[in-house]
Amino acid sequence: MAYKSLLTVVTDSEQSQSALAQMVALAHAQDAHAEALCLGVDRSQAGYYYAGANALVLQETLSRANADADELLTQTQEYMGKSDIRWSAESGVAQIADIGRHVAHRARFSDLVVLPKPYGKDRSAEAEPIVEAAMFEGHAPILVTPENAAPFERPGTVLIGWNESVEAMRAIRCALPFLTQADLVRIVVIDPPRHGPDRSDPGGLLSQMLARHGAKCEIDVLSKTMTRVSDILNRHAEDSEADMIVMGAYGHSRFREAILGGATRNMLEQAAVPVFLAH
């Protein structure tokens, strides 16, 4: 069981380095094909310029986006060409309001999408919509990589944020190739319910299921000593020297079709290790 089609989306060469490095490492370990979609982003919003300026401004922003796409493609080809994996890269231009459609279409045909952290200093405006599109519209699992995270070919210790939700179970099933290869899988249950079928053995059935796949599991039952669950998971990941966190992605409709919910956003803002998400 392995990921055979990997995808990353490059819109900024510096911010995409961690995702590119992680994708190449995984492609090497799992004998997968790595694909990079290099997009020049047209950030203009038609209709917001003074009369008579539209055509001139739109042409300028489009020309800049095409130049950015060509430069990103050249840099990505140079980087991936140094590896011994099977890879491909192509360029294109997308308006920022429409970038999700392009990402979602490619994500649908990928086993895993590897993307840079969407929040932080100097992050581009399209970083969050790209993550959302891959998950909510492309229905693909994603691996979000912090900028300073060292790429791994297989994780040593993996943390699972387990709350018995459908989203968490979906992420766990999608992460099975990682979980079965890991040295240790820590199932983290925070303040388990006092009433329910699993109250005497929180995480037990999940541990049993994963063990049947060959995963080596331990269950960590933690108290909610901090306001945000994401803070508890991140602290536990640091204490246990975890290489990756697996959790369900939560979202809800607002102005866009779907946006990241508070728990997911908090995790992606603070995580110091790669976060595997699925919805």
Side-chain angles (χ1 to χ4, degrees):
M1 194 176 199
Y3 304 109
K4 291 299 183 181
S5 295
L6 307 176
L7 171 70
T8 193
V9 181
V10 181
T11 60
D12 183 290
S13 58
E14 184 175 346
Q15 295 175 12
S16 298
Q17 281 303 305
S18 62
L20 269 173
Q22 182 60 74
M23 183 177 68
V24 169
L26 291 178
H28 181 269
Q30 306 208 19
D31 190 27
H33 183 97
E35 180 181 3
L37 178 61
C38 304
L39 290 178
V41 182
D42 178 0
R43 296 178 177 84
S44 64
Q45 296 290 337
Y48 286 87
Y49 303 109
Y50 58 86
N54 281 10
L56 180 63
V57 173
L58 288 174
Q59 181 58 49
E60 173 62 26
T61 56
L62 182 60
S63 298
R64 188 182 307 132
N66 274 296
D68 289 345
D70 292 340
E71 183 178 358
L72 290 170
L73 179 62
T74 299
Q75 294 172 348
T76 301
Q77 288 174 329
E78 182 178 351
Y79 180 85
M80 298 181 73
K82 297 175 182 177
S83 68
D84 59 353
I85 64 170
R86 297 191 305 277
W87 63 273
S88 60
E90 62 180 275
S91 64
V93 171
Q95 285 194 315
I96 191 166
D98 191 41
I99 196 169
R101 180 172 61 88
H102 299 277
V103 173
H105 176 71
R106 303 303 288 267
R108 285 192 196 107
F109 303 99
S110 303
D111 297 325
L112 179 66
V113 183
V114 185
L115 295 171
K117 195 173 178 178
Y119 307 113
K121 185 179 179 181
D122 299 326
R123 290 288 146 176
S124 56
E126 66 272 5
E128 184 183 30
I130 287 173
V131 170
E132 293 170 2
M135 278 195 302
F136 297 115
E137 299 172 54
H139 303 286
I142 68 169
L143 184 66
V144 175
T145 60
E147 53 273 12
N148 297 321
F152 59 81
E153 292 197 349
R154 72 173 187 87
T157 299
V158 178
L159 250 62
I160 294 177
W162 177 234
N163 60 359
E164 300 185 7
S165 68
V166 172
E167 289 85 356
M169 180 56 79
R170 160 74 173 161
I172 290 164
R173 291 187 191 280
C174 291
L176 276 175
F178 285 131
L179 301 178
T180 55
Q181 294 171 2
D183 296 329
L184 178 63
V185 176
R186 307 187 76 97
I187 301 170
V188 181
V189 184
I190 300 172
D191 270 0
R194 296 180 180 180
H195 306 284
D198 298 328
R199 64 186 182 278
S200 61
D201 185 20
L205 287 176
L206 175 60
S207 176
Q208 176 181 274
M209 185 195 87
L210 294 177
R212 288 171 178 168
H213 283 278
K216 304 171 185 66
C217 301
E218 290 184 3
I219 300 172
D220 298 334
V221 180
L222 307 179
S223 298
K224 193 176 181 183
T225 56
M226 305 173 79
T227 303
R228 300 190 302 191
V229 170
S230 58
D231 292 336
I232 300 172
L233 285 175
N234 280 318
R235 184 180 64 181
H236 196 55
E238 182 180 354
D239 292 343
S240 59
E241 298 182 344
D243 299 300
M244 185 174 72
I245 297 172
V246 174
M247 62 178 287
Y250 304 90
H252 49 273
S253 296
R254 280 188 187 170
F255 298 108
R256 289 196 293 268
E257 183 174 337
I259 70 170
L260 296 175
T264 309
R265 184 187 179 99
N266 291 338
M267 174 59 75
L268 295 184
E269 285 177 343
Q270 303 298 328
V273 299
V275 180
F276 184 101
L277 295 162
H279 177 73

